Amino acid sequence: MTTTARPRPWHAQVLTLFPEMFPGTLGHSLAGKALERGDWRLEVMDIRGFAKDKHRTVDDTPFGGGPGMVMRPDVVDAALAAALQPAENGEPVGPAIYLSPRGRVLDQDLVQDLAAGPGCVLVCGRYEGLDERVIEAHGLMEVSLGDFVLSGGEPAAIALIDAVVRLIPGVMGAAETLEEESFERGLLEYPHYTRPADWQGRPVPEILLSGHHEKIKAWRLRQAEEVTKLRRPDLWAAYQKRRAETQG
Ligand code: 4GY
């Protein structure tokens, strides 16, 4: 009998003060099924478990004064060291990421890069966030979901993992669902319709009932272009630039 070596599944390690928030929504639907199948792995580490004193203190008041509390660098460092242990042993773990509004804004390119790698380590901040020195010392990659402030990094970590996991082969089912996806081409999605063909006096665009696949494809592309032009001039400019470079 022979055994086939399976590649190690994509591996998310989450460092958090609220481990009970995981898997959360990641335990549901396709991501949850894929997690059960072992198509990807989730390891949640409680940062509090790395506190050194009997009260298991993880935060302290900010030097210089001001509101709130700051997560201690020594405690977060100990948690990171544990998460990065496999890397010490030569097993790749992927980048260590701190979810923060100060970071590079997450986009589909970064999601694809992460999905192509072995996994990632996600540090979830609470209170006023991490002591700057532990960010520097580990060269943490700061990643933001957008220009707003959450009460902690956990929902951002869940969103990031969700975006990556749906790209893992087998998780989403039909590969063409992903290939056709507008963001892969740098456009917003074309509008979608299903039954009933006439709903509250609103008919579905006739072309979609024609069965003419080439024309439908062209119509959808035009719709995707129009909505992108209107709503996201930044994406539209980038799309046109790419189109000029590759002559279509
Ligand atoms: N926006 N994108 C975000 C966030 C919470 C205080 C630092 C975001 O990714 N994360 O708002 N995070 C804050 C909470 C500590 C992180």
Side-chain angles (χ1 to χ4, degrees):
M1 192 161 87
T2 56
T3 54
T4 309
R6 281 218 288 153
R8 290 186 70 76
W10 194 82
H11 181 197
Q13 294 187 88
V14 179
L15 275 46
T16 174
L17 290 171
F18 295 93
E20 59 284 359
M21 288 187 175
F22 295 85
T25 62
L26 296 169
H28 295 265
S29 192
L30 295 174
K33 297 279 186 300
L35 184 57
E36 282 173 9
R37 282 198 303 269
D39 290 346
W40 66 286
R41 288 207 313 133
L42 177 65
E43 204 171 346
V44 182
M45 301 165 106
D46 186 353
I47 295 173
R48 196 169 296 279
F50 297 90
K52 293 148 189 349
D53 62 319
K54 73 163 190 238
H55 299 293
R56 303 207 298 160
T57 309
V58 295
D59 59 344
D60 209 330
T61 54
F63 279 124
M69 299 293 271
V70 177
M71 289 170 73
R72 289 179 55 113
D74 52 348
V75 177
V76 175
D77 173 65
L80 270 166
L84 298 172
Q85 186 65 47
E88 304 278 288
N89 305 333
E91 187 190 321
V93 295
I97 294 173
Y98 176 42
L99 284 318
S100 145
R102 289 172 51 183
R104 152 184 179 189
V105 175
L106 183 65
D107 62 16
Q108 198 64 18
D109 289 340
L110 178 53
V111 170
Q112 280 171 352
D113 288 350
L114 290 172
C120 62
V121 176
L122 298 172
V123 185
C124 300
R126 282 273 154 180
Y127 322 119
E128 304 304 314
L130 304 189
D131 184 302
E132 189 72 20
R133 295 167 295 177
V134 76
I135 301 173
E136 283 171 14
H138 282 275
L140 297 184
M141 182 199 294
E142 292 190 65
V143 174
S144 171
L145 291 196
D147 294 340
F148 51 85
V149 184
L150 299 167
S151 50
E154 290 81 5
I158 288 174
L160 182 150
I161 295 168
D162 182 291
V164 170
V165 162
R166 63 189 287 286
L167 300 185
I168 295 171
V171 172
M172 278 281 280
E176 58 266 28
T177 310
L178 280 179
E179 278 157 27
E180 275 205 14
E181 203 165 73
S182 60
F183 252 116
E184 307 284 317
R185 284 174 302 164
L187 292 173
L188 300 180
E189 279 280 298
Y190 57 78
H192 300 278
Y193 301 89
T194 187
R195 279 182 280 276
D198 189 311
W199 177 69
Q200 296 188 351
R202 298 167 183 267
V204 161
E206 214 171 279
I207 180 75
L208 298 178
L209 310 176
S210 71
H212 200 306
H213 298 300
E214 285 309 308
K215 281 189 181 169
I216 291 171
K217 205 174 158 194
W219 180 87
R220 283 175 168 166
L221 177 57
R222 204 165 349 102
Q223 292 285 314
E225 289 175 344
E226 287 306 315
V227 73
T228 305
K229 212 181 292 180
L230 271 169
R231 296 188 191 181
R232 292 293 302 275
D234 58 326
L235 292 182
W236 178 246
Y239 175 77
Q240 283 181 302
K241 183 155 174 272
R242 216 164 338 102
R243 216 164 42 170
E245 282 162 5
T246 63
Q247 20 265 358

